[in-house]
Amino acid sequence: MEKLVIRGGTKLKGTVIVEGAKNAALPIIAATLLCKSISIIENIPEVEDVRVLLDAMIELGVKVKKTKPNTLEIDTRSIIKNIVDYEDITRIRASYYLLGSLLGRNNEAQVPLPGGCSIGTRPIDQHIKGFEALGAKVNIEHGMIKAKTKKLKASNIYLDVASVGATINVMFAAVLAEGHTVIENPAKEPHIVDVANFLNSMGADVKGAGTDIIKINGVKELHGAEYMIIPDQIEAGTYMIAAAITGGDVTVENLIPKHMEAISAKLKEMGILVEEFDESIRVHIKEPLKNTHVKTLPYPGFPTDMQPQVTALLAIADGTSIMTEGVFENRFLYTDELNRMGANIKVEGNSAIITGVSRLSGAEVTATDLRAGAALVLAGLAAEGETIVNHVDYIDRGYVRMEDKLKALGADIFRVRSEAHQAKLHIV
Ligand code: UD1
């Protein structure tokens, strides 16, 4: 099991470049299955979840070639299997996108039930409701979701929850369905708009992505496209917090400031200086961190995927803050780990009450999921002494070379690859 070792206390300084958005890349890669052609996708983040999805697609018959760093040529001209039996696919949540894209392409799909981070029960009833409304029969048998239809037909679908995954899956199944589909109460995250833009660049007719209603006119066929994925809002936000938590001065480059508004607003409320430029944001500190209250909500609300990182920051702010989780039901597991580092966080229902402490202290802690792992690294950067973060594999699912990027900003951080390596480095 790989670990990150952090010796905290350095104020981070410099510039960090943000990668393409993981949660846009995953559905966009899956969407290439909707055509029988070659697509060229740029700005793909080289994270573990993307690798797993690509491996699964290669097993289905897709050909993938890396033409430049972060650029893939994805060839979906061959016959593509309907059944996803790639073993690792259950590790990622985004496996469900293969259900929508294979159903759209082949009228049939069988995909193992999705895995992903343990942050709640994470049902997929809204995906199923959408597929059924479009004319598919859906069953769950032996851990597989099976969807099948003779022909997909347009429909009006009201999503009971504004689910990111369900919105995208319904778009996938509807773009080639006969007729005019309407999705009411869709998710509005930036990656929903990005996926819709990609589908339109393939010849689809999707209108209204990013608003309260999405309208899709089914087309007969889609073609390959060239497309560049948007920057990763969550990676950008994580480095903004890295600057703030260490009292540093960091410019986060290659982001869309509009996507960062909810995060920037909360940092400003804490007394942090956030300067916005065309494609970058500078974060620096002039005064002690103030407390604030945050509630996570679907976009344009505060993103749930930034909840653990901001909680780590609030752990060293003056006064008491309340963090309320409004999207998932069980996303505070990591607070016990922060408390091991001297934080004072009490979880009550879907809220965490955070009483700021003057300093965190290094400890050996374990990532419980992807964003929780990022939060523990951030806490380690601010803590006195040495922090060891176990289960780096979670962090690698969504961050590209996190320790290298932090090191370039001045952090004292390194990865321990094996027990033997650990012994050589004399780490306890
Ligand atoms: C995606 C992101 C994840 C992010 C989340 C919310 C990917 C691969 N993952 O996850 O990083 O935290 O959006 O921004 O892009 N729900 C239902 N029924 C459903 C689907 C969802 O009740 O059929 C509920 C979920 O339990 C949750 C809420 O809706 O409470 C939002 O979930 P959803 O937006 O679907 O998240 P994911 O697509 O799983």
Side-chain angles (χ1 to χ4, degrees):
M1 187 175 62
E2 299 194 355
K3 304 160 191 249
L4 286 176
V5 181
I6 307 150
R7 295 185 186 119
T10 311
K11 290 179 194 289
L12 300 191
K13 287 206 162 55
T15 297
V16 61
I17 313 275
V18 174
E19 312 282 327
K22 167 182 87 80
N23 287 350
L26 292 163
I28 285 173
I29 290 169
T32 61
L33 285 169
L34 290 164
C35 70
K36 292 174 184 155
S37 182
I38 296 176
S39 297
I40 295 167
I41 316 292
E42 293 176 56
N43 210 23
I44 294 186
E46 294 184 354
V47 293
E48 197 51 23
D49 276 17
V50 166
R51 185 197 62 75
V52 171
L53 179 66
L54 285 168
D55 279 355
M57 285 178 50
I58 290 166
E59 284 225 351
L60 289 175
V62 175
K63 294 190 180 68
V64 180
K65 201 158 89 188
K66 183 168 168 178
T67 51
K68 282 191 286 181
N70 306 103
T71 300
L72 295 180
E73 193 181 276
I74 304 178
D75 180 350
T76 54
R77 286 175 299 178
S78 345
I79 292 172
I80 301 294
K81 289 192 277 182
N82 296 330
I83 303 176
V84 180
D85 52 13
Y86 177 65
E87 206 181 314
D88 277 358
I89 195 72
T90 50
R91 287 174 42 208
I92 67 167
R93 186 84 194 143
S95 56
Y96 52 45
Y97 290 133
L98 294 175
L99 208 56
S101 57
L102 286 175
L103 189 62
R105 180 189 177 103
N106 289 346
N107 286 334
E108 185 173 352
Q110 290 189 33
V111 180
L113 279 160
C117 290
S118 307
I119 50 181
T121 51
R122 306 187 82 177
I124 53 157
D125 56 310
Q126 299 303 305
H127 302 237
I128 294 174
K129 172 177 158 175
F131 293 145
E132 286 178 340
L134 292 163
K137 262 199 146 65
V138 185
N139 301 310
I140 298 178
E141 276 171 23
H142 310 297
M144 299 286 278
I145 316 167
K146 301 181 179 181
K148 197 173 175 176
T149 181
K150 278 206 174 69
K151 197 169 171 44
L152 288 164
K153 287 226 168 74
S155 184
N156 273 21
I157 295 146
Y158 174 83
L159 294 178
D160 299 333
V161 282
S163 154
V164 168
T167 302
I168 293 176
N169 251 337
V170 173
M171 290 200 290
F172 285 175
V175 283
L176 291 167
E178 201 176 272
H180 183 72
T181 294
V182 175
I183 311 175
E184 290 183 73
N185 193 32
K188 293 183 268 196
E189 270 67 6
H191 35 290
I192 300 285
V193 179
D194 210 34
V195 173
N197 287 342
F198 176 61
L199 291 170
N200 287 340
S201 70
M202 296 170 85
D205 181 0
V206 181
K207 293 194 181 78
T211 74
D212 289 328
I213 193 152
I214 297 180
K215 295 180 177 172
I216 302 165
N217 273 316
V219 295
K220 286 224 151 44
E221 202 177 49
L222 295 178
H223 51 75
E226 277 189 42
Y227 196 77
M228 184 184 273
I229 288 166
I230 53 166
D232 198 306
Q233 176 205 33
I234 306 302
E235 192 201 15
T238 303
Y239 290 114
M240 287 167 70
I241 307 267
I245 206 165
T246 61
D249 185 347
V250 172
T251 300
V252 184
E253 276 189 5
N254 185 34
L255 50 68
I256 299 174
K258 171 107 189 105
H259 295 170
M260 308 308 299
E261 276 172 356
I263 300 162
S264 296
K266 282 295 156 189
L267 296 189
K268 286 177 190 166
E269 274 178 34
M270 295 180 72
I272 296 159
L273 298 168
V274 179
E275 283 177 63
E276 289 168 17
F277 302 95
D278 285 351
E279 290 182 359
S280 62
I281 290 183
R282 177 182 172 207
V283 177
H284 54 124
I285 302 285
K286 278 268 150 47
E287 51 188 74
L289 299 171
K290 294 192 214 120
N291 67 322
T292 191
H293 305 313
V294 181
K295 179 166 185 183
T296 69
L297 286 169
Y299 190 82
F302 190 91
T304 174
D305 284 355
M306 283 300 298
Q307 185 253 90
Q309 301 90 313
V310 172
T311 299
L313 182 62
L314 292 170
I316 55 161
D318 281 345
T320 301
S321 305
I322 299 175
M323 170 62 80
T324 304
E325 175 55 47
V327 178
F328 291 107
E329 59 197 21
N330 186 18
R331 203 165 192 174
F332 286 121
L333 284 176
Y334 68 90
T335 55
D336 283 344
E337 300 299 292
L338 285 180
N339 286 342
R340 288 160 63 84
M341 298 177 71
N344 182 353
I345 306 172
K346 233 172 101 192
V347 177
E348 282 182 12
N350 61 351
S351 291
I353 298 140
I354 307 149
T355 307
V357 295
S358 57
R359 211 162 175 89
L360 296 172
S361 57
E364 179 157 359
V365 288
T366 298
T368 49
D369 66 65
L370 163 57
R371 306 302 171 186
L376 295 174
V377 171
L378 294 171
L381 293 170
E384 212 165 53
E386 187 172 275
T387 296
I388 297 174
V389 180
N390 293 315
H391 257 309
V392 180
D393 50 314
Y394 278 125
I395 299 174
D396 293 336
R397 291 184 43 189
Y399 290 91
V400 178
R401 301 184 316 277
M402 185 186 233
E403 71 271 27
D404 291 348
K405 290 193 180 191
L406 290 171
K407 217 181 285 174
L409 295 172
D412 185 349
I413 179 170
F414 59 93
R415 180 181 293 243
V416 179
R417 296 201 178 273
S418 64
E419 298 300 324
H421 188 195
Q422 181 175 350
K424 217 162 90 195
L425 292 165
H426 309 294
I427 300 157
V428 282

